[in-house]
């Protein structure tokens, strides 16, 4: 008696299932990768797009720069405070340990001013130039046109590398408009270098 066609449960069925699963996984992975890449690209150019549409979009420096500067402040002024208070106190008497008060007061003042200076640093990418703003008591704002940039380089000293930081140095046709953006994340510093170099070459070529 004919009971119908038997279901294919052999190697062909297993192969078809495996191919379907692999194809679905690859398609999902490709879509996820494309979506992540598009999102990263959009975030990387958000500042420039916003600046082109109106007010500049200011970008602050990462907190790693504040930590690095405060550590250097504590190391240098801390040693001076100890030397100014310990040595006179041991050699001339306890009253002479008061010499440690001036450098200690300077350490406290420097601790506060370091944060204020760090907060004052910011930069913005506009359509035709780069803005760099800094300063607490005297505010200074530098405008660097893309077309006048001759060299953009990323530098990182031993202390900066320890804190995972890098600086972007901008060299222009006029020395008065040279500028530096310190304390950036290495990835952001490289992105900014590549973008500024590209824009500078395009402006120089008259595109």
């Amino acid at each position: 008696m004919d009971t119908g066609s038997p279901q294919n449960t052999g190697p062909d069925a297993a192969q078809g299932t495996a191919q379907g699963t692999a194809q679905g996984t690859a398609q999902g992975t490709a879509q996820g990768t494309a979506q992540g890449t598009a999102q990263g690209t959009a975030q990387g150019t958000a500042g420039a797009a916003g600046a082109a549409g109106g007010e500049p979009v200011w970008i602050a420096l990462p907190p790693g720069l504040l930590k690095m500067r405060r550590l250097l402040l504590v190391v240098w002024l801390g040693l001076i405070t100890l030397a100014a208070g310990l040595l006179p106190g041991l050699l001339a008497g306890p009253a002479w340990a008061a010499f440690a008060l001036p450098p200690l007061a300077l350490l406290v003042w420097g601790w506060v001013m370091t944060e204020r200076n760090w907060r004052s640093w910011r930069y913005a990418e506009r359509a035709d130039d780069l803005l760099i703003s800094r300063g607490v008591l005297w505010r200074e704002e530098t405008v660097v046109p893309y077309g006048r940039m001759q060299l953009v380089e990323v530098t990182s000293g031993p202390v900066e590398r320890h804190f995972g930081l890098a600086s972007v140095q901008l060299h222009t046709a006029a020395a008065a408009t040279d500028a530096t953006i310190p304390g950036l994340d290495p990835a952001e510093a490289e992105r900014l270098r590549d973008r500024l170099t590209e824009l500078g070459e395009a402006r120089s070529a008259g595109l």
Side-chain angles (χ1 to χ4, degrees):
M1 182 176 58
D2 188 5
T3 59
S5 300
Q7 295 181 352
N8 186 6
T9 59
D12 293 340
Q15 182 178 3
T17 302
Q19 291 178 349
T21 303
Q23 183 177 2
T25 303
Q27 183 177 2
T29 303
Q31 291 177 351
T33 302
Q35 183 177 2
T37 303
Q39 183 178 2
T41 303
Q43 291 177 350
T45 57
E55 293 295 326
V57 179
W58 293 102
I59 303 175
L61 300 184
L65 178 63
L66 176 61
K67 296 179 181 179
M68 182 189 72
R69 289 181 172 178
R70 278 183 167 176
L71 177 62
L72 295 176
L73 177 70
V74 170
V75 169
W76 288 107
L77 286 181
L79 293 176
I80 295 176
T81 302
L82 289 176
L86 186 61
L87 293 180
L90 293 176
L91 298 178
W96 292 90
F99 279 105
L101 293 179
L104 182 60
L106 184 61
L107 174 61
V108 175
W109 179 81
W111 183 273
V112 176
M113 292 302 298
T114 299
E115 181 176 1
R116 293 186 60 185
N117 179 266
W118 166 72
R119 291 184 182 277
S120 71
W121 276 88
R122 56 182 185 169
Y123 63 97
E125 300 174 56
R126 299 198 299 185
D128 298 317
D129 50 41
L130 177 71
L131 297 180
I132 303 175
S133 179
R134 60 197 178 276
V136 178
L137 299 178
W138 289 273
R139 197 74 179 176
E140 181 179 354
E141 189 170 290
T142 303
V143 180
V144 184
Y146 296 138
R148 300 183 65 85
M149 292 184 184
Q150 294 182 334
L151 176 64
V152 182
E153 57 181 353
V154 176
T155 62
S156 182
V159 179
E160 287 181 311
R161 289 196 301 270
H162 177 76
F163 285 88
L165 301 174
S167 299
V168 175
Q169 294 185 356
L170 311 173
H171 302 278
T172 64
T177 57
D178 288 355
T180 300
I181 305 177
L184 296 175
D185 293 329
E188 170 64 10
E190 293 177 0
R191 182 201 68 82
L192 191 61
R193 177 199 60 193
D194 295 340
R195 173 173 171 76
L196 295 180
T197 301
E198 180 182 358
L199 290 173
E201 292 175 352
R203 295 299 190 277
S204 298
L207 298 180

